[in-house]
Amino acid sequence: MLAERTRIVGEVFDHAHDMADAGLRAIIAQIPAYADRDEVFLADVHDQLTRLCRTGLAALLDHRKITADDVAYARHAAARRAQAGLTLVDYINAFRLGQHAMWQSLMNYAGASEAGREAALSMVVPLTRYCDLISTQAANAYLEFQQYLSEEAGRDARELVETLLDGAFPERGPQYATAAAHGLGTDEPGTMVVVTGRVLDATDSTRHQVSAAIARTGVNGLRTLSVVRGGEIVAIPALGRNGSAEDLCDRLRDTGDRLRAEGVTVALGVSTVAAEAAQLPAAYQEARGALDLLPQAGGVLALPTLTPLRYLMLRADDTARRLVDTRIGAALADDLARGGMLTATVRAFAEADMNLRAAAEHLRVHHNTAKYRVRRIQELTGRDVRRVADLVELLVAIDLLAPPGATSTRPSR
């Protein structure tokens, strides 16, 4: 049987190019990602099939065990496939088809004789081990190179963020490509905001988890540039030509809610809209300032959704809060404990341009109920919401005493 086995192996070894031809035809026919490649790429695949076949068969002829060093070239080829953009599924499938072609060639040269079949069967175990070895080596090399590409992309992203926060757009190179992939710095007009974030009880893994979640949060189908920068997260979402800062902020709130449901508490500050790179350093400081205004419980403080009045109230100190009339402060505190019904009425009355009937419709209550609430507000605070000065004083007090995450006084029109 040894002589028959040596004959079969020798025949396949000498005709390895024919085996590679058959394997390449099968790969092209069954894997579209390979069928679209140029001749240079396909010649590399053909050479790889030939070498893998001869390496395994040479070890059989020499009666020696194959080591990882014997198939080091397969790792280099795997890296080339990863760099070419092939998916791991397609790559492993191509490996399978190449192995099938080698087995088919062995069976063809074994012939129909009993001695040939027995010799072929005697090679099943060593060749299966060989196929397992090269498959494992190739898959590991592919994944290692993918990890390298990911780290390189992460490095480019971090360097791009530093460039943008210095107030400049890259003009060429990897940073330019990364910016373009995120809708930043292209020829099309567009706007941006800066988002800064912190994670409560953070570890490196949770920071990267949050950064990845923010990267998936964008508008106009754009992926957001987001990186971990020391102990903070910095993101620069592009709004694009028709993007809305309000829509982005809503999506960031949804992202924060999802992370909280997963046990990760995050605080996010969002800057005003920047129209050019030169405005990004100031936008970054705005986002950090907004972040500092959030409570320890986290949340999202988005400057694009605030009125100037609400922002000033958030920045107010304790002196401004002590200037609030004690009757107003006590009434608002009691109302907050009861669910905020009177506060909501004041806000609705202001948003309805002091039209009580429209405010009642907004609150979905009867007109007489709204009238009762207005009288009750006057009794508790000494302020008449139908007077502009009194209404403004109540709104200021509401914003001064409200927690940072409370609804702003921005009209809903």
Side-chain angles (χ1 to χ4, degrees):
M1 184 175 65
L2 179 59
E4 187 66 8
R5 179 165 147 171
T6 301
R7 178 192 69 79
I8 296 170
V9 171
E11 291 278 6
V12 177
F13 188 96
D14 291 341
H15 295 87
H17 282 285
D18 296 334
M19 183 280 304
D21 288 342
L24 185 58
R25 284 194 299 270
I27 290 171
I28 292 173
Q30 298 184 40
I31 307 176
Y34 278 79
D36 296 335
R37 302 292 173 164
D38 59 24
E39 292 183 1
V40 174
F41 179 91
L42 295 178
D44 186 25
V45 175
H46 188 280
D47 178 67
Q48 181 76 359
L49 291 171
T50 303
R51 293 185 68 180
L52 288 172
C53 176
R54 285 180 170 167
T55 298
L57 296 178
L60 278 176
L61 288 172
D62 296 339
H63 306 290
R64 62 180 176 83
K65 185 178 180 180
I66 298 175
T67 66
D69 291 339
D70 294 326
V71 292
Y73 60 87
R75 296 179 60 85
H76 300 310
R80 292 196 297 273
R81 304 297 178 263
Q83 190 172 25
L86 286 176
T87 67
L88 181 59
V89 171
D90 284 340
Y91 180 54
I92 295 301
N93 195 23
F95 240 92
R96 179 184 62 79
L97 292 172
Q99 293 168 6
H100 182 269
M102 183 175 69
W103 281 111
Q104 189 62 52
S105 182
L106 282 168
M107 296 307 298
N108 289 341
Y109 284 107
S113 68
E114 183 176 349
R117 287 195 299 271
E118 289 181 359
L121 287 174
S122 72
M123 291 183 276
V124 168
V125 172
L127 285 180
T128 298
R129 289 173 178 167
Y130 171 64
C131 290
D132 288 343
L133 172 66
I134 59 175
S135 296
T136 300
Q137 291 291 314
N140 287 341
Y142 179 98
L143 292 172
E144 288 170 5
F145 192 80
Q146 284 287 70
Q147 178 65 27
Y148 165 77
L149 291 179
S150 176
E151 291 173 355
E152 284 295 297
R155 186 179 299 112
D156 290 339
R158 290 190 294 272
E159 292 175 353
L160 172 60
V161 165
E162 297 301 326
T163 298
L164 294 173
L165 294 184
D166 283 338
F169 272 129
E171 297 181 355
R172 62 181 67 86
Q175 287 188 40
Y176 178 84
T178 302
H182 292 86
L184 297 164
T186 59
D187 294 333
E188 299 244 342
T191 52
M192 308 153 283
V193 297
V194 176
V195 179
T196 58
R198 66 169 180 264
V199 184
L200 273 64
D201 300 324
T203 63
D204 285 342
S205 62
T206 54
R207 289 192 188 95
H208 284 92
Q209 176 187 353
V210 171
S211 179
I214 294 173
R216 297 190 294 270
T217 305
V219 293
N220 284 337
L222 296 172
R223 185 175 175 84
T224 292
L225 176 66
S226 180
V227 302
V228 175
R229 189 173 184 254
E232 69 177 351
I233 298 158
V234 178
I236 306 179
L239 301 178
R241 181 185 293 271
N242 301 313
S244 161
E246 289 77 7
D247 184 21
L248 174 68
C249 294
D250 287 342
R251 296 186 183 199
L252 287 171
R253 289 190 183 92
D254 290 341
T255 297
D257 291 342
R258 286 194 297 273
L259 288 167
R260 187 182 296 274
E262 296 171 6
V264 179
T265 302
V266 62
L268 299 176
V270 186
S271 75
T272 60
V273 175
E276 58 185 5
Q279 297 174 356
L280 289 176
Y284 171 65
Q285 295 302 325
E286 290 177 356
R288 293 194 68 182
L291 187 62
D292 290 339
L293 294 173
L294 283 168
Q296 287 299 316
V300 179
L301 185 59
L303 297 185
T305 66
L306 300 182
T307 63
L309 174 62
R310 175 62 173 151
Y311 176 72
L312 290 173
M313 296 305 99
L314 288 171
R315 302 288 297 182
D317 57 15
D318 290 339
T319 300
R321 294 181 179 87
R322 287 195 295 270
L323 288 172
V324 174
D325 186 288
T326 55
R327 288 179 298 172
I328 296 176
L332 292 178
D334 181 68
D335 180 56
L336 179 62
R338 295 172 180 271
M341 177 184 66
L342 298 183
T343 297
T345 302
V346 174
R347 291 188 188 279
F349 190 68
E351 292 178 1
D353 292 331
M354 304 174 72
N355 183 318
L356 188 57
R357 190 170 298 278
E361 292 177 358
H362 176 76
L363 294 169
R364 297 181 180 178
V365 299
H366 193 273
H367 179 253
N368 290 337
T369 301
K371 287 176 66 176
Y372 166 77
R373 291 184 183 179
V374 167
R375 287 196 303 271
R376 184 62 176 158
I377 291 167
Q378 186 170 358
E379 291 172 2
L380 293 172
T381 66
R383 304 303 191 271
D384 184 354
V385 295
R386 290 164 294 194
R387 294 183 65 245
V388 173
D390 285 358
L391 178 60
V392 170
E393 184 179 3
L394 287 171
L395 290 170
V396 169
I398 288 170
D399 274 347
L400 275 175
L401 302 178
T407 306
S408 78
T409 58
R410 183 175 56 140
S412 59
R413 296 183 295 231

